[in-house]
Amino acid sequence: WYVLPAPRAFNIRPIQYDLTPFVGLLTDGLPHQLTVRVLGVPEGRPGWDLPTNVLVWRDAGPSRVTGGLLQHQLGTLSNDSTYALVDGWHQVDTRGGHHLRISGYLRTSRGWELTTVEQDVSNTSMHRWVGDMENPDQLVATWRDTSTVTVVGRDVFPTVSRSDKQFVLDGHIDVTPENRLTTRITVRDAEEALGLRGLQTWEHRELDDVYTGEAAYNLGVPRAQRNAVGTSTHHFRLKGHPGV
């Protein structure tokens, strides 16, 4: 129904998390289970599909890579919402966030290696509306996922990989006294990735994928009288140089 799709509609890029600090525990010869779930959603709640792949790189040397977990710090989950009446608008502001830091060591065919992963996820959103009919109605929300992976010991200089992902949703809907509904929406999917080896940058990538659209039509009339119109724009930009 839409001429221009939203970001990721036809290219669902997977979200990757580095589990290297746990490898020393996973190779102890015992069975292990990796579970992915949505935090805050009760077990068995339908509607959440989380297909998961585990990507494993095997050492070309020994049949078993040994190691251990040195640090596992999981921060306190923050999830706060406040309501206020601001200049006639009902407004709900929500903030959430979580922090993770893990470190582990491995004994590989190339020597000892220490990997530290630091992950931060956060969300801020502002939902506001006017009156019992919620007209107009507006939602502005931003999700961020920032990770830093530091590897020490394999090369002369430490290797640092950083990724800052951002997803923005900005939507506004209103109905005029003539019963004409208008929706305006912006969806932005962005990421900046940086790879450093010592002082040398070996990877730098910037992605910016933005969809904007506006549509309007008459409510409560036959289809032929709706006078529906809409415009949309999709801007995709990817720049930088890949890792080697």
Tab-separated table of all heavy atoms in Angstrom, residues 191-219:
chain	number	residue	atom	x	y	z
A	191	GLU	N	23.615	4.382	12.024
A	191	GLU	CA	24.689	3.707	12.748
A	191	GLU	C	26.029	4.311	12.350
A	191	GLU	O	26.260	4.622	11.171
A	191	GLU	CB	24.720	2.206	12.461
A	191	GLU	CG	25.845	1.488	13.192
A	191	GLU	CD	25.991	0.027	12.795
A	191	GLU	OE1	25.319	-0.396	11.831
A	191	GLU	OE2	26.772	-0.687	13.441
A	192	GLU	N	26.900	4.464	13.333
A	192	GLU	CA	28.288	4.831	13.076
A	192	GLU	C	29.183	3.759	13.681
A	192	GLU	O	29.076	3.451	14.877
A	192	GLU	CB	28.645	6.196	13.657
A	192	GLU	CG	30.082	6.599	13.361
A	192	GLU	CD	30.441	7.990	13.852
A	192	GLU	OE1	29.603	8.594	14.534
A	192	GLU	OE2	31.559	8.460	13.556
A	193	ALA	N	30.026	3.151	12.854
A	193	ALA	CA	30.927	2.090	13.298
A	193	ALA	C	32.372	2.529	13.075
A	193	ALA	O	32.706	3.099	12.032
A	193	ALA	CB	30.655	0.794	12.540
A	194	LEU	N	33.214	2.250	14.061
A	194	LEU	CA	34.607	2.675	14.012
A	194	LEU	C	35.480	1.543	14.526
A	194	LEU	O	35.207	0.965	15.587
A	194	LEU	CB	34.819	3.927	14.850
A	194	LEU	CG	36.233	4.508	14.905
A	194	LEU	CD1	36.655	5.018	13.538
A	194	LEU	CD2	36.306	5.637	15.936
A	195	GLY	N	36.534	1.219	13.768
A	195	GLY	CA	37.495	0.211	14.180
A	195	GLY	C	38.876	0.809	14.303
A	195	GLY	O	39.362	1.466	13.371
A	196	LEU	N	39.534	0.600	15.443
A	196	LEU	CA	40.865	1.150	15.697
A	196	LEU	C	41.821	0.031	16.052
A	196	LEU	O	41.485	-0.888	16.803
A	196	LEU	CB	40.820	2.159	16.855
A	196	LEU	CG	39.911	3.385	16.701
A	196	LEU	CD1	39.869	4.167	18.008
A	196	LEU	CD2	40.401	4.271	15.569
A	197	ARG	N	43.033	0.109	15.509
A	197	ARG	CA	44.126	-0.773	15.898
A	197	ARG	C	45.284	0.121	16.304
A	197	ARG	O	45.982	0.670	15.475
A	197	ARG	CB	44.504	-1.706	14.747
A	197	ARG	CG	45.550	-2.744	15.136
A	197	ARG	CD	45.821	-3.714	13.996
A	197	ARG	NE	44.668	-4.595	13.769
A	197	ARG	CZ	43.943	-4.567	12.663
A	197	ARG	NH1	44.244	-3.706	11.697
A	197	ARG	NH2	42.919	-5.389	12.510
A	198	GLY	N	45.427	0.287	17.626
A	198	GLY	CA	46.356	1.298	18.106
A	198	GLY	C	45.812	2.670	17.775
A	198	GLY	O	44.684	3.011	18.124
A	199	LEU	N	46.589	3.478	17.059
A	199	LEU	CA	46.148	4.797	16.608
A	199	LEU	C	45.650	4.788	15.173
A	199	LEU	O	45.263	5.834	14.646
A	199	LEU	CB	47.297	5.808	16.749
A	199	LEU	CG	47.829	6.026	18.171
A	199	LEU	CD1	48.994	7.008	18.151
A	199	LEU	CD2	46.728	6.528	19.096
A	200	GLN	N	45.632	3.621	14.541
A	200	GLN	CA	45.249	3.516	13.136
A	200	GLN	C	43.768	3.127	13.017
A	200	GLN	O	43.300	2.193	13.666
A	200	GLN	CB	46.112	2.484	12.420
A	200	GLN	CG	45.766	2.326	10.933
A	200	GLN	CD	46.604	1.252	10.277
A	200	GLN	OE1	47.405	0.596	10.936
A	200	GLN	NE2	46.427	1.071	8.983
A	201	THR	N	43.050	3.852	12.173
A	201	THR	CA	41.652	3.527	11.909
A	201	THR	C	41.586	2.530	10.763
A	201	THR	O	41.999	2.830	9.643
A	201	THR	CB	40.851	4.791	11.529
A	201	THR	OG1	40.910	5.733	12.598
A	201	THR	CG2	39.393	4.445	11.243
A	202	TRP	N	41.088	1.328	11.035
A	202	TRP	CA	41.015	0.311	9.992
A	202	TRP	C	39.587	0.140	9.453
A	202	TRP	O	39.377	-0.533	8.454
A	202	TRP	CB	41.544	-1.029	10.500
A	202	TRP	CG	40.778	-1.612	11.653
A	202	TRP	CD1	40.955	-1.331	12.968
A	202	TRP	CD2	39.726	-2.568	11.588
A	202	TRP	NE1	40.079	-2.050	13.733
A	202	TRP	CE2	39.301	-2.815	12.908
A	202	TRP	CE3	39.095	-3.239	10.536
A	202	TRP	CZ2	38.283	-3.712	13.204
A	202	TRP	CZ3	38.074	-4.125	10.832
A	202	TRP	CH2	37.676	-4.363	12.152
A	203	GLU	N	38.625	0.765	10.101
A	203	GLU	CA	37.255	0.727	9.594
A	203	GLU	C	36.506	1.958	10.085
A	203	GLU	O	36.623	2.356	11.241
A	203	GLU	CB	36.519	-0.528	10.059
A	203	GLU	CG	35.070	-0.596	9.564
A	203	GLU	CD	34.308	-1.780	10.143
A	203	GLU	OE1	34.681	-2.249	11.229
A	203	GLU	OE2	33.343	-2.217	9.500
A	204	HIS	N	35.737	2.567	9.192
A	204	HIS	CA	34.870	3.680	9.567
A	204	HIS	C	33.677	3.675	8.623
A	204	HIS	O	33.828	3.777	7.406
A	204	HIS	CB	35.601	5.017	9.484
A	204	HIS	CG	34.771	6.152	10.005
A	204	HIS	ND1	34.945	7.464	9.612
A	204	HIS	CD2	33.742	6.182	10.902
A	204	HIS	CE1	34.075	8.238	10.228
A	204	HIS	NE2	33.331	7.485	11.012
A	205	ARG	N	32.490	3.533	9.209
A	205	ARG	CA	31.285	3.428	8.395
A	205	ARG	C	30.172	4.251	9.030
A	205	ARG	O	29.972	4.214	10.235
A	205	ARG	CB	30.846	1.970	8.285
A	205	ARG	CG	29.643	1.727	7.384
A	205	ARG	CD	29.291	0.262	7.315
A	205	ARG	NE	28.736	-0.239	8.567
A	205	ARG	CZ	29.372	-0.994	9.427
A	205	ARG	NH1	30.635	-1.348	9.183
A	205	ARG	NH2	28.797	-1.407	10.533
A	206	GLU	N	29.460	5.013	8.185
A	206	GLU	CA	28.323	5.801	8.644
A	206	GLU	C	27.106	5.460	7.795
A	206	GLU	O	27.152	5.559	6.565
A	206	GLU	CB	28.621	7.305	8.550
A	206	GLU	CG	29.703	7.775	9.503
A	206	GLU	CD	29.922	9.276	9.426
A	206	GLU	OE1	29.076	9.959	8.810
A	206	GLU	OE2	30.934	9.752	9.956
A	207	LEU	N	26.026	5.080	8.461
A	207	LEU	CA	24.778	4.734	7.785
A	207	LEU	C	23.683	5.672	8.257
A	207	LEU	O	23.544	5.934	9.457
A	207	LEU	CB	24.382	3.292	8.099
A	207	LEU	CG	22.965	2.882	7.705
A	207	LEU	CD1	22.819	2.842	6.184
A	207	LEU	CD2	22.591	1.537	8.321
A	208	ASP	N	22.903	6.197	7.294
A	208	ASP	CA	21.772	7.061	7.625
A	208	ASP	C	20.630	6.718	6.667
A	208	ASP	O	20.741	6.941	5.459
A	208	ASP	CB	22.162	8.537	7.494
A	208	ASP	CG	21.190	9.440	8.230
A	208	ASP	OD1	20.453	8.947	9.101
A	208	ASP	OD2	21.154	10.651	7.936
A	209	ASP	N	19.559	6.149	7.209
A	209	ASP	CA	18.429	5.677	6.413
A	209	ASP	C	17.172	6.349	6.969
A	209	ASP	O	16.730	6.031	8.083
A	209	ASP	CB	18.337	4.153	6.523
A	209	ASP	CG	17.395	3.555	5.494
A	209	ASP	OD1	16.776	4.319	4.731
A	209	ASP	OD2	17.269	2.314	5.471
A	210	VAL	N	16.594	7.286	6.203
A	210	VAL	CA	15.510	8.121	6.724
A	210	VAL	C	14.298	8.066	5.797
A	210	VAL	O	14.418	8.250	4.583
A	210	VAL	CB	15.953	9.592	6.884
A	210	VAL	CG1	14.827	10.431	7.490
A	210	VAL	CG2	17.197	9.680	7.763
A	211	TYR	N	13.155	7.808	6.385
A	211	TYR	CA	11.879	7.856	5.660
A	211	TYR	C	11.023	8.967	6.267
A	211	TYR	O	10.886	9.072	7.487
A	211	TYR	CB	11.134	6.527	5.775
A	211	TYR	CG	9.688	6.604	5.320
A	211	TYR	CD1	9.335	6.393	3.993
A	211	TYR	CD2	8.674	6.915	6.220
A	211	TYR	CE1	8.017	6.482	3.574
A	211	TYR	CE2	7.358	7.012	5.819
A	211	TYR	CZ	7.029	6.791	4.501
A	211	TYR	OH	5.737	6.882	4.092
A	212	THR	N	10.434	9.811	5.423
A	212	THR	CA	9.487	10.832	5.872
A	212	THR	C	8.253	10.743	4.982
A	212	THR	O	8.357	10.534	3.768
A	212	THR	CB	10.084	12.253	5.790
A	212	THR	OG1	10.485	12.513	4.439
A	212	THR	CG2	11.276	12.403	6.708
A	213	GLY	N	7.102	10.919	5.586
A	213	GLY	CA	5.874	10.842	4.809
A	213	GLY	C	4.742	11.624	5.448
A	213	GLY	O	4.740	11.887	6.655
A	214	GLU	N	3.779	12.028	4.617
A	214	GLU	CA	2.586	12.725	5.077
A	214	GLU	C	1.403	12.253	4.241
A	214	GLU	O	1.501	12.138	3.012
A	214	GLU	CB	2.749	14.238	4.959
A	214	GLU	CG	1.516	15.016	5.385
A	214	GLU	CD	1.706	16.521	5.317
A	214	GLU	OE1	2.865	16.964	5.495
A	214	GLU	OE2	0.712	17.229	5.078
A	215	ALA	N	0.306	11.942	4.904
A	215	ALA	CA	-0.895	11.479	4.204
A	215	ALA	C	-2.122	12.068	4.877
A	215	ALA	O	-2.124	12.328	6.084
A	215	ALA	CB	-0.971	9.961	4.203
A	216	ALA	N	-3.183	12.286	4.079
A	216	ALA	CA	-4.419	12.868	4.612
A	216	ALA	C	-5.613	12.314	3.838
A	216	ALA	O	-5.503	11.999	2.643
A	216	ALA	CB	-4.394	14.398	4.508
A	217	TYR	N	-6.746	12.201	4.524
A	217	TYR	CA	-7.985	11.800	3.859
A	217	TYR	C	-9.174	12.214	4.733
A	217	TYR	O	-9.027	12.508	5.925
A	217	TYR	CB	-8.012	10.294	3.580
A	217	TYR	CG	-8.148	9.410	4.804
A	217	TYR	CD1	-9.385	8.898	5.178
A	217	TYR	CD2	-7.032	9.055	5.556
A	217	TYR	CE1	-9.514	8.072	6.286
A	217	TYR	CE2	-7.152	8.242	6.663
A	217	TYR	CZ	-8.394	7.744	7.024
A	217	TYR	OH	-8.503	6.946	8.123
A	218	ASN	N	-10.377	12.238	4.124
A	218	ASN	CA	-11.601	12.626	4.824
A	218	ASN	C	-12.197	11.425	5.548
A	218	ASN	O	-12.356	10.344	4.976
A	218	ASN	CB	-12.635	13.185	3.838
A	218	ASN	CG	-12.148	14.449	3.161
A	218	ASN	OD1	-11.453	15.266	3.763
A	218	ASN	ND2	-12.502	14.622	1.886
A	219	LEU	N	-12.535	11.626	6.810
A	219	LEU	CA	-13.118	10.565	7.626
A	219	LEU	C	-14.635	10.506	7.442
A	219	LEU	O	-15.282	11.517	7.169
A	219	LEU	CB	-12.799	10.783	9.108
A	219	LEU	CG	-11.344	10.604	9.549
A	219	LEU	CD1	-11.198	11.055	10.998
A	219	LEU	CD2	-10.914	9.168	9.408
